[in-house]
């Protein structure tokens, strides 16, 4: 009995040390990659809008965009933009500055709300409490 106790204590210590030596790898979620829109070509601060040189797709009025300075570090500029109704061909679009600061050369990306999942599970038909015309609501 005396020999069993030290052996079991030693075995317990070995198992504990082995389990502590394993490092847990963090699980990375596959996030959505940013959609590059183009660059701020010109800023009109008196009128609070920018002109964006597009890299491809022409975006609809009301589309929300984000611009940020190309550099990294503490002095990074960010601006929230919204595409306006005006059209300037297929290579440039104007966008109003909703907030922040933009300068020529800033990179522009499509805004993606990361707090909202890609599929919300809505079927498109939301239940309503409004009856169809000509029908009465009867209490249960």
């Amino acid at each position: 009995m005396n020999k069993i106790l030290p052996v079991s204590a030693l075995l317990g210590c070995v198992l504990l040390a082995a389990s502590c030596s394993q490092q847990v790898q963090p699980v990375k979620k596959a996030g959505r990659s940013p959609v590059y829109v183009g660059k701020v070509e010109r800023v009109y601060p008196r009128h609070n809008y920018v002109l964006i040189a597009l890299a491809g797709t022409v975006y609809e009025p009301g589309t929300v965009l984000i611009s940020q300075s190309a550099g990294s570090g503490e002095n990074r500029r960010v601006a929230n933009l919204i595409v306006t109704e005006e059209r300037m061909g297929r290579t440039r679009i104007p966008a109003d500055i909703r907030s922040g600061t933009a300068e020529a050369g800033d990179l522009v990306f499509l805004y993606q709300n990361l707090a909202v999942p890609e599929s919300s599970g809505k079927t498109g038909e939301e239940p309503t409490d409004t009856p169809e015309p000509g029908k009465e609501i009867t209490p249960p």
Side-chain angles (χ1 to χ4, degrees), residues 6 16 28 37 59 65-66 68 93 118 138-139:
L16 180 63
K28 291 183 180 180
V37 172
Y59 292 90
L65 306 172
I66 300 293
Q68 67 180 34
I93 56 171
E118 287 185 57
T138 56

Side-chain angles (χ1 to χ4, degrees), residues 7-136:
V7 172
S8 63
L10 180 61
L11 183 60
C13 288
V14 169
L15 289 174
L16 180 63
S19 67
C20 291
S21 67
Q22 295 177 354
Q23 292 186 1
V24 177
Q25 297 293 330
V27 177
K28 291 183 180 180
K29 283 189 170 183
R32 293 180 271 176
S33 59
V35 177
Y36 179 69
V37 172
K39 283 189 177 184
V40 174
E41 185 173 84
R42 194 151 181 202
V43 180
Y44 299 91
R46 292 181 70 185
H47 300 289
N48 209 32
Y49 80 96
V50 297
L51 186 60
I52 300 169
L54 296 172
T57 306
V58 177
Y59 292 90
E60 296 296 317
T63 303
V64 179
L65 306 172
I66 300 293
S67 73
Q68 67 180 34
S69 57
S72 62
E74 297 174 11
N75 298 329
R76 179 167 282 196
R77 281 182 317 282
V78 176
N80 184 304
L81 311 171
I82 188 163
V83 177
T84 63
E85 301 266 339
E86 293 85 18
R87 288 289 163 245
M88 305 181 87
R90 299 195 54 78
T91 59
R92 290 174 181 75
I93 56 171
D96 290 331
I97 301 172
R98 293 181 5 169
S99 65
T101 305
E103 288 186 13
D106 287 356
L107 305 175
V108 180
F109 299 92
L110 183 64
Y111 172 76
Q112 298 177 20
N113 187 351
L114 299 178
V116 177
E118 287 185 57
S119 64
S120 62
K122 292 186 179 179
T123 61
E125 290 187 24
E126 297 296 323
T128 61
D129 293 335
T130 309
E132 292 180 27
K135 291 191 177 180
E136 294 182 21

